Amino acid sequence: MPSEVKPVSDNSANILIAEDNPAVREFITRSLGSAGYKTVAVADGQQALDALAKEKFDVLVTDIVMPNVDGIALALKAVRLFPDLRIVMISGYAQERMRAHNLDALVHRIIAKPFSLEEICGAVKDAITLPPGTA
């Protein structure tokens, strides 16, 4: 790994979760919290942009299909403002996951719903340990 790129240590990672489904949002929050991550959860992409403006996050976990600002628009805006932000996208819609694959340089992982605790925690851990911009 190049010396100028430092991975975030697991125990200091701050994770922003943007998910419009309350049950899924709670599952992700609890899963990542039990893994030792600090989390902030919001219900849509606009709330995520507001949170990003107020606090530094290491990883953004975002649903692709959300009201107001969808996950793809959120990812594009977020990495423009915060180039070191790592992104994990989730979606239950195959066509939306295909749209997200066009963002390979920005997105570290795309996970299909439903996913397990191990899958979401593993995706976040991978995103944290990889250099920004590495899919």
Side-chain angles (χ1 to χ4, degrees):
M1 182 177 294
S3 60
E4 70 273 2
V5 177
K6 294 181 181 179
V8 177
S9 67
D10 278 356
N11 58 1
S12 68
N14 194 14
I15 315 299
L16 176 60
I17 301 158
E19 167 60 62
D20 61 318
N21 181 309
V24 176
R25 186 170 59 241
E26 181 66 19
F27 175 76
I28 296 169
T29 300
R30 286 179 182 240
S31 298
L32 296 177
S34 70
Y37 299 110
K38 180 182 175 212
T39 62
V40 172
V42 298
D44 65 42
Q46 185 57 56
Q47 291 177 15
L49 289 169
D50 294 344
L52 286 165
K54 295 176 188 168
E55 188 174 345
K56 182 188 182 310
F57 292 93
D58 302 297
V59 178
L60 168 63
V61 176
T62 182
D63 191 6
I64 295 175
V65 179
M66 293 186 295
N68 300 324
V69 177
D70 74 9
I72 292 174
L74 171 59
L76 291 169
K77 289 178 184 180
V79 296
R80 193 170 350 114
L81 297 169
F82 310 98
D84 291 340
L85 183 67
R86 283 93 165 177
I87 299 174
V88 174
M89 293 189 132
I90 54 177
S91 183
Y93 301 97
Q95 68 273 21
E96 297 301 327
R97 287 194 305 273
M98 292 305 296
R99 272 183 58 214
H101 278 291
N102 293 331
L103 304 174
D104 285 341
L106 307 177
V107 177
H108 288 81
R109 180 83 66 88
I110 302 168
I111 302 174
K113 291 180 185 176
F115 49 83
S116 68
L117 179 143
E118 292 81 12
E119 285 175 300
I120 193 68
C121 290
V124 168
K125 182 176 176 125
D126 288 350
I128 289 168
T129 58
L130 290 171
T134 306

